[in-house]
Amino acid sequence: MQVQRFSDLEAVSRAGAEELVRLARASNGPFHVALSGGSTPKRMHEILASMGREALPWERVVLWWGDERTVPPDHPDSNFGMAKRTLIDPLKLTRFFRMEGEKDPPVAADDYQKLLLREAGTPPVLDLVFLGVGPDGHTASLFPGTPAVAEQARWVVANPVDSPVAKGKTVRITVTLPLLAAAKHVRFLVAGPDKTHMLPHALGAPTPEYPSSLVRGPDVAWFVDEVAAEELPT
Ligand code: 6PG
């Protein structure tokens, strides 16, 4: 696992965008990318949009999501809705499969798993997964103390969450650790002071207390800004 430090969110975002360009250009056939939600990825999406469609072979890119809130796509909390505003609409992208947050969560999770198995194989192998990490060390919607963290049989589940970080009691649709472990490349984008205390744990010994610490795979890298990295050993 590698950690790359950048000056600020802008530099982290640019590095994430350039990583997508690099890996997509080096690929052949469909390039499956999972986007993360929350606020960190917004700037990376905007940078990708500003690069234009010629920056990478978007016609071969298939967009997925690592998790979704149980809300309709036009809800302000929708991860798909954020990507639609910042990336899909500006670049007029058409190849995407959103998690249907408006559906009954177990049904939406099962439907998404079926799509992944149909499009990305068994196990579903995504070429690139972008992840964020919460101040509690969650990633995707694998929150500490929730059943999805221990899930080893399914690739996508509906996960009951009760956390102040998730705005209280809710259900999230999320990919599981086996899905993340099967991905060819995983890139965490982390920035800001609310991640400083958590980051040493996320990068430390694997523990369910910090689910992001459990993410393993052939190529996992963390792009972090200086503020978030303040408590890491130099
Ligand atoms: C979500 C995300 C989640 C996010 C972290 C970090 O649905 O909220 O997928 O895992 O990546 O909570 O969020 P910020 O980027 O807003 O700090």
Side-chain angles (χ1 to χ4, degrees):
M1 171 164 34
Q2 54 168 311
V3 180
Q4 293 186 39
R5 296 178 189 222
F6 298 89
S7 54
D8 54 19
L9 172 62
E10 181 71 16
V12 164
S13 306
R14 185 157 297 281
E18 288 166 0
E19 197 70 335
L20 173 54
V21 170
R22 179 178 73 85
L23 293 169
R25 283 180 173 174
S27 70
N28 297 298
F31 188 79
H32 297 284
V33 187
L35 301 177
S36 76
S39 57
T40 302
K42 281 180 193 166
R43 186 63 192 128
M44 180 180 73
H45 295 177
E46 291 166 354
I47 290 168
L48 286 165
S50 70
M51 287 174 166
R53 282 195 63 129
E54 62 282 359
L56 60 97
W58 281 110
E59 70 284 354
R60 292 195 286 106
V61 173
V62 185
L63 295 178
W64 303 84
W65 276 262
D67 72 325
E68 186 57 276
R69 291 82 181 277
T70 45
V71 295
D74 58 354
H75 188 281
D77 288 349
S78 168
N79 289 338
F80 168 78
M82 181 273 279
K84 185 174 188 299
R85 288 188 299 276
T86 57
L87 184 66
I88 292 171
D89 288 350
L91 287 177
K92 299 182 173 48
L93 303 180
T94 57
R95 296 188 74 180
F96 53 81
F97 295 103
R98 70 175 182 89
M99 292 173 166
E100 294 169 291
E102 71 277 18
K103 270 184 174 175
D104 174 40
V107 173
D110 197 46
D111 288 351
Y112 208 68
Q113 175 162 294
K114 285 181 179 133
L115 275 176
L116 275 166
L117 293 169
R118 187 188 78 192
E119 299 291 326
T122 304
V125 175
L126 298 179
D127 294 286
L128 174 59
V129 177
F130 284 111
L131 291 174
V133 60
D136 59 352
H138 82 264
T139 190
S141 281
L142 303 173
F143 285 80
T146 63
V149 176
E151 176 63 49
Q152 290 296 318
R154 294 183 57 80
W155 313 99
V156 187
V157 295
N159 192 28
V161 177
D162 186 359
S163 161
V165 177
K167 299 184 185 176
K169 207 172 174 63
T170 186
V171 179
R172 293 280 190 91
I173 303 162
T174 184
V175 298
T176 59
L177 287 168
L179 188 282
L180 298 175
K184 291 180 184 172
H185 308 282
V186 174
R187 295 295 180 264
F188 281 90
L189 303 188
V190 188
D194 63 335
K195 313 295 169 76
T196 307
H197 300 312
M198 169 277 306
L199 201 53
H201 300 284
L203 293 170
T207 169
E209 282 179 63
Y210 294 88
S212 49
S213 72
L214 300 173
V215 176
R216 287 293 180 276
D219 175 28
V220 177
W222 292 67
F223 291 177
V224 303
D225 77 346
E226 285 306 335
V227 168
E230 263 171 14
E231 293 181 10
L232 293 182
T234 50

Short mmCIF file of all heavy atoms in Angstrom, two decimals, residues 9 35-42 65-69 77-79 82 130-136 138-143 165-166 172-174 189-191 194-195, ligand 1:
data_model
loop_
_atom_site.label_atom_id
_atom_site.label_comp_id
_atom_site.label_asym_id
_atom_site.label_seq_id
_atom_site.Cartn_x
_atom_site.Cartn_y
_atom_site.Cartn_z
N LEU A 9 -6.29 19.83 -1.42
CA LEU A 9 -7.36 19.08 -2.11
C LEU A 9 -7.24 19.22 -3.62
O LEU A 9 -7.46 18.25 -4.36
CB LEU A 9 -8.73 19.59 -1.65
CG LEU A 9 -9.96 19.05 -2.41
CD1 LEU A 9 -10.07 17.54 -2.26
CD2 LEU A 9 -11.24 19.74 -1.93
N LEU A 35 -17.01 5.18 -8.74
CA LEU A 35 -16.84 6.50 -8.14
C LEU A 35 -17.25 6.44 -6.67
O LEU A 35 -18.08 5.62 -6.28
CB LEU A 35 -17.71 7.53 -8.87
CG LEU A 35 -17.44 7.70 -10.38
CD1 LEU A 35 -18.44 8.69 -10.97
CD2 LEU A 35 -16.00 8.14 -10.63
N SER A 36 -16.69 7.34 -5.88
CA SER A 36 -17.14 7.41 -4.50
C SER A 36 -18.02 8.64 -4.32
O SER A 36 -18.13 9.48 -5.23
CB SER A 36 -15.94 7.45 -3.54
OG SER A 36 -15.36 8.72 -3.52
N GLY A 37 -18.65 8.69 -3.18
CA GLY A 37 -19.58 9.79 -2.93
C GLY A 37 -18.97 10.80 -1.98
O GLY A 37 -17.76 10.94 -1.92
N GLY A 38 -19.84 11.49 -1.27
CA GLY A 38 -19.36 12.53 -0.37
C GLY A 38 -18.91 13.75 -1.15
O GLY A 38 -19.24 13.93 -2.33
N SER A 39 -18.09 14.57 -0.52
CA SER A 39 -17.71 15.85 -1.13
C SER A 39 -16.32 15.83 -1.76
O SER A 39 -16.08 16.54 -2.75
CB SER A 39 -17.75 16.95 -0.06
OG SER A 39 -16.90 16.58 1.01
N THR A 40 -15.42 15.00 -1.25
CA THR A 40 -14.04 15.04 -1.77
C THR A 40 -13.94 14.86 -3.28
O THR A 40 -13.20 15.59 -3.94
CB THR A 40 -13.16 14.00 -1.04
OG1 THR A 40 -13.18 14.26 0.36
CG2 THR A 40 -11.72 14.04 -1.55
N PRO A 41 -14.69 13.93 -3.86
CA PRO A 41 -14.47 13.67 -5.30
C PRO A 41 -14.96 14.78 -6.23
O PRO A 41 -14.63 14.79 -7.41
CB PRO A 41 -15.27 12.39 -5.57
CG PRO A 41 -15.67 11.85 -4.25
CD PRO A 41 -15.69 12.99 -3.31
N LYS A 42 -15.76 15.71 -5.69
CA LYS A 42 -16.37 16.72 -6.58
C LYS A 42 -15.33 17.43 -7.44
O LYS A 42 -15.48 17.58 -8.65
CB LYS A 42 -17.12 17.76 -5.76
CG LYS A 42 -18.49 17.33 -5.28
CD LYS A 42 -19.14 18.47 -4.47
CE LYS A 42 -20.36 17.99 -3.71
NZ LYS A 42 -20.81 18.96 -2.70
N TRP A 65 -20.74 2.84 -8.89
CA TRP A 65 -20.60 3.54 -7.62
C TRP A 65 -20.23 2.56 -6.51
O TRP A 65 -20.67 1.39 -6.53
CB TRP A 65 -21.89 4.29 -7.28
CG TRP A 65 -21.92 5.63 -7.97
CD1 TRP A 65 -21.60 6.84 -7.45
CD2 TRP A 65 -22.24 5.86 -9.36
NE1 TRP A 65 -21.71 7.83 -8.42
CE2 TRP A 65 -22.08 7.25 -9.59
CE3 TRP A 65 -22.64 5.04 -10.42
CZ2 TRP A 65 -22.33 7.83 -10.83
CZ3 TRP A 65 -22.88 5.60 -11.66
CH2 TRP A 65 -22.72 6.99 -11.87
N GLY A 66 -19.42 3.05 -5.55
CA GLY A 66 -19.06 2.20 -4.42
C GLY A 66 -20.16 2.13 -3.38
O GLY A 66 -20.27 1.15 -2.64
N ASP A 67 -20.96 3.18 -3.34
CA ASP A 67 -22.08 3.16 -2.39
C ASP A 67 -23.07 4.25 -2.77
O ASP A 67 -22.81 5.11 -3.61
CB ASP A 67 -21.58 3.35 -0.96
CG ASP A 67 -21.10 4.77 -0.68
OD1 ASP A 67 -20.54 5.40 -1.58
OD2 ASP A 67 -21.30 5.23 0.45
N GLU A 68 -24.25 4.14 -2.16
CA GLU A 68 -25.30 5.12 -2.44
C GLU A 68 -26.20 5.26 -1.23
O GLU A 68 -26.38 4.30 -0.46
CB GLU A 68 -26.11 4.71 -3.66
CG GLU A 68 -27.15 5.73 -4.13
CD GLU A 68 -26.53 7.10 -4.45
OE1 GLU A 68 -26.35 7.89 -3.49
OE2 GLU A 68 -26.23 7.37 -5.62
N ARG A 69 -26.69 6.45 -1.07
CA ARG A 69 -27.66 6.67 -0.02
C ARG A 69 -29.02 6.19 -0.51
O ARG A 69 -29.28 6.13 -1.71
CB ARG A 69 -27.70 8.16 0.33
CG ARG A 69 -26.44 8.67 1.03
CD ARG A 69 -25.32 8.99 0.04
NE ARG A 69 -24.09 9.45 0.64
CZ ARG A 69 -23.86 10.70 1.00
NH1 ARG A 69 -24.80 11.61 0.87
NH2 ARG A 69 -22.69 11.05 1.55
N ASP A 77 -28.59 14.48 -1.46
CA ASP A 77 -27.62 13.57 -0.83
C ASP A 77 -27.18 12.44 -1.77
O ASP A 77 -26.35 11.61 -1.39
CB ASP A 77 -28.22 12.94 0.44
CG ASP A 77 -28.32 13.95 1.58
OD1 ASP A 77 -27.74 15.05 1.44
OD2 ASP A 77 -28.99 13.65 2.58
N SER A 78 -27.76 12.37 -2.96
CA SER A 78 -27.45 11.24 -3.86
C SER A 78 -26.03 11.33 -4.40
O SER A 78 -25.63 12.35 -4.97
CB SER A 78 -28.44 11.25 -5.04
OG SER A 78 -27.99 10.36 -6.05
N ASN A 79 -25.27 10.26 -4.24
CA ASN A 79 -23.91 10.22 -4.80
C ASN A 79 -23.97 10.24 -6.32
O ASN A 79 -23.15 10.88 -6.98
CB ASN A 79 -23.16 8.97 -4.32
CG ASN A 79 -22.79 9.05 -2.85
OD1 ASN A 79 -22.71 10.13 -2.26
ND2 ASN A 79 -22.60 7.89 -2.22
N MET A 82 -24.65 13.79 -7.48
CA MET A 82 -23.46 14.65 -7.45
C MET A 82 -22.60 14.38 -8.68
O MET A 82 -22.14 15.31 -9.36
CB MET A 82 -22.67 14.39 -6.17
CG MET A 82 -21.40 15.24 -6.01
SD MET A 82 -19.92 14.52 -6.78
CE MET A 82 -19.44 13.33 -5.52
N PHE A 130 -12.42 4.40 -6.95
CA PHE A 130 -12.11 5.57 -6.12
C PHE A 130 -12.85 5.41 -4.79
O PHE A 130 -14.04 5.05 -4.78
CB PHE A 130 -12.55 6.86 -6.81
CG PHE A 130 -11.65 7.29 -7.94
CD1 PHE A 130 -12.10 7.23 -9.26
CD2 PHE A 130 -10.36 7.74 -7.70
CE1 PHE A 130 -11.28 7.61 -10.31
CE2 PHE A 130 -9.53 8.14 -8.73
CZ PHE A 130 -9.99 8.07 -10.04
N LEU A 131 -12.15 5.69 -3.70
CA LEU A 131 -12.76 5.63 -2.38
C LEU A 131 -12.44 6.90 -1.61
O LEU A 131 -11.38 7.51 -1.81
CB LEU A 131 -12.25 4.42 -1.59
CG LEU A 131 -12.67 3.03 -2.09
CD1 LEU A 131 -11.94 1.95 -1.29
CD2 LEU A 131 -14.17 2.84 -1.97
N GLY A 132 -13.35 7.24 -0.71
CA GLY A 132 -13.05 8.27 0.27
C GLY A 132 -12.99 7.58 1.62
O GLY A 132 -13.17 6.37 1.73
N VAL A 133 -12.77 8.35 2.64
CA VAL A 133 -12.77 7.79 4.00
C VAL A 133 -13.36 8.83 4.95
O VAL A 133 -13.08 10.03 4.83
CB VAL A 133 -11.34 7.37 4.42
CG1 VAL A 133 -10.38 8.51 4.41
CG2 VAL A 133 -11.35 6.63 5.74
N GLY A 134 -14.24 8.36 5.81
CA GLY A 134 -14.87 9.28 6.75
C GLY A 134 -14.01 9.52 7.98
O GLY A 134 -13.04 8.80 8.21
N PRO A 135 -14.37 10.51 8.78
CA PRO A 135 -13.60 10.78 10.00
C PRO A 135 -13.61 9.60 10.98
O PRO A 135 -12.77 9.51 11.87
CB PRO A 135 -14.29 12.01 10.59
CG PRO A 135 -15.55 12.19 9.87
CD PRO A 135 -15.48 11.46 8.57
N ASP A 136 -14.57 8.68 10.78
CA ASP A 136 -14.64 7.48 11.64
C ASP A 136 -13.93 6.30 10.99
O ASP A 136 -13.97 5.18 11.53
CB ASP A 136 -16.11 7.12 11.89
CG ASP A 136 -16.85 6.86 10.58
OD1 ASP A 136 -16.26 7.11 9.50
OD2 ASP A 136 -18.01 6.40 10.64
N HIS A 138 -14.69 4.97 8.07
CA HIS A 138 -15.50 4.19 7.11
C HIS A 138 -15.04 4.49 5.70
O HIS A 138 -14.49 5.55 5.40
CB HIS A 138 -16.99 4.49 7.30
CG HIS A 138 -17.47 5.73 6.63
ND1 HIS A 138 -17.58 6.95 7.27
CD2 HIS A 138 -17.86 5.95 5.35
CE1 HIS A 138 -18.03 7.86 6.43
NE2 HIS A 138 -18.20 7.28 5.24
N THR A 139 -15.33 3.55 4.81
CA THR A 139 -15.13 3.80 3.39
C THR A 139 -16.28 3.17 2.62
O THR A 139 -16.90 2.23 3.14
CB THR A 139 -13.78 3.25 2.89
OG1 THR A 139 -13.52 3.73 1.57
CG2 THR A 139 -13.74 1.73 2.92
N ALA A 140 -16.60 3.70 1.46
CA ALA A 140 -17.88 3.37 0.81
C ALA A 140 -18.94 3.58 1.90
O ALA A 140 -18.92 4.61 2.58
CB ALA A 140 -17.85 1.98 0.22
N SER A 141 -19.81 2.57 2.11
CA SER A 141 -20.69 2.70 3.30
C SER A 141 -20.44 1.56 4.26
O SER A 141 -21.36 0.99 4.87
CB SER A 141 -22.16 2.77 2.88
OG SER A 141 -22.47 4.08 2.43
N LEU A 142 -19.16 1.20 4.35
CA LEU A 142 -18.72 0.19 5.33
C LEU A 142 -18.36 0.95 6.60
O LEU A 142 -17.21 1.36 6.82
CB LEU A 142 -17.52 -0.58 4.77
CG LEU A 142 -17.75 -1.30 3.43
CD1 LEU A 142 -16.45 -1.87 2.91
CD2 LEU A 142 -18.81 -2.38 3.55
N PHE A 143 -19.37 1.17 7.42
CA PHE A 143 -19.19 1.92 8.67
C PHE A 143 -18.78 0.98 9.80
O PHE A 143 -19.21 -0.19 9.81
CB PHE A 143 -20.49 2.64 9.04
CG PHE A 143 -20.78 3.86 8.20
CD1 PHE A 143 -21.33 3.73 6.93
CD2 PHE A 143 -20.50 5.13 8.68
CE1 PHE A 143 -21.59 4.85 6.15
CE2 PHE A 143 -20.76 6.26 7.90
CZ PHE A 143 -21.31 6.11 6.64
N VAL A 165 -22.08 10.30 11.54
CA VAL A 165 -21.38 10.61 10.28
C VAL A 165 -22.30 10.39 9.08
O VAL A 165 -22.16 11.00 8.03
CB VAL A 165 -20.09 9.76 10.14
CG1 VAL A 165 -19.40 10.01 8.82
CG2 VAL A 165 -19.15 10.01 11.30
N ALA A 166 -23.29 9.49 9.28
CA ALA A 166 -24.23 9.20 8.18
C ALA A 166 -25.56 9.91 8.42
O ALA A 166 -26.60 9.50 7.91
CB ALA A 166 -24.45 7.69 8.09
N ARG A 172 -27.75 2.10 3.82
CA ARG A 172 -26.95 2.48 2.67
C ARG A 172 -26.79 1.26 1.76
O ARG A 172 -26.79 0.11 2.25
CB ARG A 172 -25.55 2.93 3.12
CG ARG A 172 -25.51 4.23 3.92
CD ARG A 172 -25.61 5.42 3.01
NE ARG A 172 -25.34 6.70 3.67
CZ ARG A 172 -24.15 7.27 3.74
NH1 ARG A 172 -23.09 6.65 3.27
NH2 ARG A 172 -23.98 8.45 4.32
N ILE A 173 -26.62 1.46 0.51
CA ILE A 173 -26.24 0.39 -0.43
C ILE A 173 -24.74 0.51 -0.62
O ILE A 173 -24.23 1.61 -0.87
CB ILE A 173 -26.98 0.55 -1.77
CG1 ILE A 173 -28.49 0.57 -1.52
CG2 ILE A 173 -26.63 -0.58 -2.74
CD1 ILE A 173 -29.29 1.13 -2.66
N THR A 174 -24.02 -0.60 -0.45
CA THR A 174 -22.57 -0.50 -0.52
C THR A 174 -21.94 -1.76 -1.12
O THR A 174 -22.44 -2.87 -0.96
CB THR A 174 -21.97 -0.25 0.88
OG1 THR A 174 -20.54 -0.07 0.78
CG2 THR A 174 -22.27 -1.40 1.84
N LEU A 189 -8.89 9.01 -2.05
CA LEU A 189 -8.63 10.45 -2.08
C LEU A 189 -9.05 11.00 -0.71
O LEU A 189 -10.20 10.85 -0.30
CB LEU A 189 -9.43 11.14 -3.18
CG LEU A 189 -9.24 10.67 -4.63
CD1 LEU A 189 -9.98 11.61 -5.59
CD2 LEU A 189 -7.79 10.54 -5.02
N VAL A 190 -8.07 11.60 0.00
CA VAL A 190 -8.32 12.05 1.38
C VAL A 190 -7.76 13.46 1.55
O VAL A 190 -6.59 13.70 1.25
CB VAL A 190 -7.65 11.11 2.40
CG1 VAL A 190 -8.07 11.47 3.83
CG2 VAL A 190 -7.98 9.65 2.11
N ALA A 191 -8.59 14.34 2.04
CA ALA A 191 -8.11 15.72 2.25
C ALA A 191 -8.88 16.38 3.39
O ALA A 191 -10.02 16.02 3.67
CB ALA A 191 -8.31 16.54 0.97
N ASP A 194 -10.56 17.10 9.02
CA ASP A 194 -11.42 16.13 9.73
C ASP A 194 -10.95 14.69 9.50
O ASP A 194 -11.55 13.76 10.02
CB ASP A 194 -12.89 16.32 9.37
CG ASP A 194 -13.16 16.06 7.89
OD1 ASP A 194 -12.22 16.21 7.09
OD2 ASP A 194 -14.30 15.71 7.54
N LYS A 195 -9.89 14.53 8.73
CA LYS A 195 -9.36 13.17 8.50
C LYS A 195 -8.02 12.95 9.22
O LYS A 195 -7.47 11.85 9.21
CB LYS A 195 -9.17 12.93 6.99
CG LYS A 195 -10.34 13.35 6.13
CD LYS A 195 -11.58 12.51 6.39
CE LYS A 195 -12.83 13.08 5.73
NZ LYS A 195 -12.90 12.86 4.29
C1 6PG B 1 -20.52 8.51 0.97
C2 6PG B 1 -19.15 8.10 0.53
C3 6PG B 1 -18.28 7.99 1.76
C4 6PG B 1 -17.29 9.13 1.64
C5 6PG B 1 -16.70 9.47 2.96
C6 6PG B 1 -15.86 10.74 2.85
O1 6PG B 1 -21.50 7.99 0.44
O2 6PG B 1 -20.55 9.41 1.80
O3 6PG B 1 -19.05 7.12 -0.32
O4 6PG B 1 -17.61 6.80 1.93
O5 6PG B 1 -16.28 8.78 0.71
O6 6PG B 1 -17.76 9.67 3.87
O7 6PG B 1 -16.74 11.80 2.54
P1 6PG B 1 -16.18 13.26 2.25
O8 6PG B 1 -15.42 13.17 0.97
O9 6PG B 1 -17.41 14.11 2.12
O10 6PG B 1 -15.30 13.62 3.42
#
